[in-house]
Amino acid sequence: MSYSWKIMKRVMNRPLLSHGFMILKENVYQERIIPRMAASSYCQIRNISTSWFMLTEQADKVPTKSPETPLLKQLQARIKFTGPLTVHEYMKEVLINPIAGYYSAGQDMFGTHGDYITSPEICQMFGELIGVWIFSEWYKLGSPKPLQLVEFGPGRGTLMHDVLRVLKQLGLSGDNLCVQFVELSDELSNKQEERLCGCIKSNNDACQDELFYKMSTTIDGSPVYWHRHLSTIPRSFSVYLAHEFFDVLPIHKFRRTEEGWREVLIDMDEEDGPHHLRYILSRAPTPATKIFIQPDETRSEVEVSPEAAVLCRELATRIEEDGGYALIMDYGHDSKVSNTFRGFKNHALHDPLSEPGTADLTADVDFVFLKENVQDKLVTYGPVTQSSFLTNMGIELRLANLLKHCKPEDRKSLISGFKMLTDPQQMGQRFKFLALFPGVVKDFLIKYPPGGFYRDTD
């Protein structure tokens, strides 16, 4: 039995699983069956592996060019003026262009009527077990108050909503908590505020002289702030959450040729191609090629996100100096995969060059790359699969408890949600979890490893 759960049993007087993880009291949650997105087969997740070369080959069969978009015209003008774009530049414009970018358009990209579905939107059990994990590790590290929760790219706010609900039942709410969101989209920030605070009541004008651009109060009385960057968030003991955030950070793409490494660029296509844009290779090594390609690289193609490296190093500094820990949840690999750059629209693969600004662009996360950028300061656990993490946290018993008290019409949704989260053929194997802890607690964690990572269930 892990040390953290011995403490929680003594303090919270709640029954434990045989392998050390908590079953929440029935009177706490059993009447809180929260309707979520049905895990239907047509709601595909965004981690279908494919090559951009494959997408291009499929698109060659299209007789006419894809429709033009307002962002396409901006990109064409930029290419005419400065030359071909790197994939990094293109991805950044497509996703966060303030006028015509995907995350600036105001559409709801989640759920059945959106472009993809995420784990918190599928089933409440996901967020509940993340909340239990946060509380366990926070208690082990001395339970400093107030606890600052920082989430990158919080979507609709569903994950944080479920986490706060669990923490409240464990006695942590109100002024003992502070929520900090890193969110670029004003439209999504409104959805997050409505989910956590019950309504949109913030006054952005009142925040003009502050480091945050928006502030409000959750239904349970905890302050919540919105930031554009991690750098403006107060330095203190914090729990950092990143769920499907690193996958949308812009990447550089490189390809090995007979002449050496070349960077993949995006140029205009004024000929017979299926789109108004096309992929080309740089004529010579670019500065990014010289910086990011390692001498011992064996792959023929490589994708690298500079922003991911910078963010990880900043997290490492904050966790080392201020205390706290982080949980990164995303789909990815161990530096063995390439060609993962792709688009998603209406729950289906979408050529990244088609109709820029109307589809989500993603790339698999290189977890080895993330770990290399923090290994001098932090202790890392994982990556482990989502199935292994949730199983270690007791999702099977949580499901059993919910099924005992749910309405008949909720039963099918709970079971399908559980399968989608844990099935190896769905999200179970494809999504990975990586935890970051300060190096100073290394010996303590060897004796009392963090929940979710203490055994491999795959």
Side-chain angles (χ1 to χ4, degrees), residues 47-68:
N47 60 335
I48 300 176
S49 296
T50 189
S51 165
W52 59 270
F53 293 110
M54 292 172 58
L55 289 172
T56 304
E57 291 172 0
Q58 295 171 0
D60 286 340
K61 301 176 183 179
V62 181
T64 58
K65 287 188 180 294
S66 55
E68 296 184 16

Side-chain angles (χ1 to χ4, degrees), residues 166-304:
V166 168
L167 294 180
K168 179 183 178 181
Q169 298 301 326
L170 296 174
L172 192 58
S173 63
D175 293 338
N176 291 326
L177 281 177
C178 176
V179 178
Q180 307 278 0
F181 282 146
V182 178
E183 177 59 72
L184 296 178
S185 170
D186 291 332
E187 291 77 10
L188 284 175
S189 71
N190 287 336
K191 289 182 172 64
Q192 295 150 14
E193 182 179 7
E194 189 170 9
R195 177 63 61 90
L196 268 62
C197 307
C199 62
I200 301 174
K201 56 186 177 182
S202 59
N203 182 1
N204 291 19
D205 294 336
C207 303
Q208 290 182 353
D209 297 328
E210 304 290 347
L211 295 177
F212 49 85
Y213 68 89
K214 182 175 182 175
M215 67 173 295
S216 189
T217 304
T218 68
I219 296 173
D220 296 316
S222 299
V224 53
Y225 304 88
W226 282 262
H227 303 256
R228 306 290 184 191
H229 306 283
L230 172 62
S231 59
T232 62
I233 293 177
R235 297 285 297 265
S236 68
F237 184 99
S238 303
V239 177
Y240 301 94
L241 299 176
H243 181 262
E244 291 202 47
F245 177 79
F246 279 84
D247 68 283
V248 297
L249 296 180
I251 61 166
H252 287 275
K253 285 184 64 69
F254 308 99
R255 185 181 182 190
R256 189 194 299 271
T257 70
E258 294 180 356
E259 292 77 28
W261 284 97
R262 297 293 184 265
E263 184 163 5
V264 177
L265 305 176
I266 294 175
D267 196 8
M268 291 192 300
D269 187 354
E270 298 176 324
E271 299 180 356
D272 298 330
H275 310 300
H276 299 278
L277 301 171
R278 62 174 180 171
Y279 295 106
I280 63 171
L281 294 177
S282 62
R283 296 180 180 178
T286 63
T289 307
K290 298 176 181 179
I291 294 172
F292 296 117
I293 297 299
Q294 302 301 316
D296 58 350
E297 181 59 64
T298 59
R299 290 173 289 178
S300 60
E301 295 177 44
V302 174
E303 299 168 341
V304 177

Side-chain angles (χ1 to χ4, degrees), residues 46-105:
R46 294 185 293 173
N47 60 335
I48 300 176
S49 296
T50 189
S51 165
W52 59 270
F53 293 110
M54 292 172 58
L55 289 172
T56 304
E57 291 172 0
Q58 295 171 0
D60 286 340
K61 301 176 183 179
V62 181
T64 58
K65 287 188 180 294
S66 55
E68 296 184 16
T69 64
L71 182 58
L72 173 65
K73 296 179 180 179
Q74 293 185 38
L75 294 171
Q76 288 174 322
R78 180 173 172 180
I79 291 172
K80 286 181 180 180
F81 186 73
T82 63
L85 304 173
T86 64
V87 174
H88 180 276
E89 294 170 324
Y90 177 77
M91 194 173 178
K92 193 172 184 178
E93 284 295 315
V94 169
L95 293 179
I96 62 174
N97 181 285
I99 299 176
Y102 178 72
Y103 288 106
S104 303

Side-chain angles (χ1 to χ4, degrees), residues 244-247 328-332 365 367 430-432:
E244 291 202 47
F245 177 79
F246 279 84
D247 68 283
I328 299 172
M329 302 156 278
D330 226 311
Y331 49 88
V365 177
F367 281 101
R430 297 167 180 169
F431 279 77
K432 308 293 193 300

